[in-house]
Amino acid sequence: MWQLQEQIEQMVDQYFEDAGAQRVSAEEVGLDSRAGYVFVSTEEGWIASRVTRSLEHYGGFEYIDIEYRVTVGEITFYSSDDSRVADALEYYIENQNNQGE
């Protein structure tokens, strides 16, 4: 059983790498700082978190419909097909572009 959990974690880590995911503060995606840290993939169009309780409570992600979230191991992925996630990703992208100027 533990081997399976470890394999899943390794697969998720590899997926993060392949998707160009970045670990950022919730503030960097326009959310309340109390939501903690999230993983962002602008390439794949998702935000993911290991600590969903604070993200859902302080980030408002509790309103995201179940069809737009997937949990794999300890990570929950939220799809940009939901407008709240799309807005957060857009905020992140705009923030990155502004810092590059």
Side-chain angles (χ1 to χ4, degrees), residues 9-79:
E9 288 175 11
Q10 289 173 353
M11 291 174 72
V12 168
D13 288 344
Q14 184 61 52
Y15 178 64
F16 278 4
E17 187 176 318
D18 293 345
Q22 300 292 315
R23 182 177 182 259
V24 300
S25 71
E27 290 174 300
E28 291 181 68
V29 294
L31 303 176
D32 188 308
S33 64
R34 295 173 291 179
Y37 286 87
V38 295
F39 296 93
V40 174
S41 174
T42 56
E43 294 175 28
E44 297 285 328
W46 50 254
I47 292 175
S49 178
R50 282 190 167 93
V51 186
T52 58
R53 186 176 198 167
S54 60
L55 179 61
E56 289 182 358
H57 182 73
Y58 295 113
F61 276 39
E62 76 267 26
Y63 301 110
I64 296 173
D65 196 279
I66 192 75
E67 70 183 81
Y68 300 117
R69 60 176 114 165
V70 173
T71 301
V72 179
E74 296 178 351
I75 302 285
T76 299
F77 294 86
Y78 300 89
S79 170

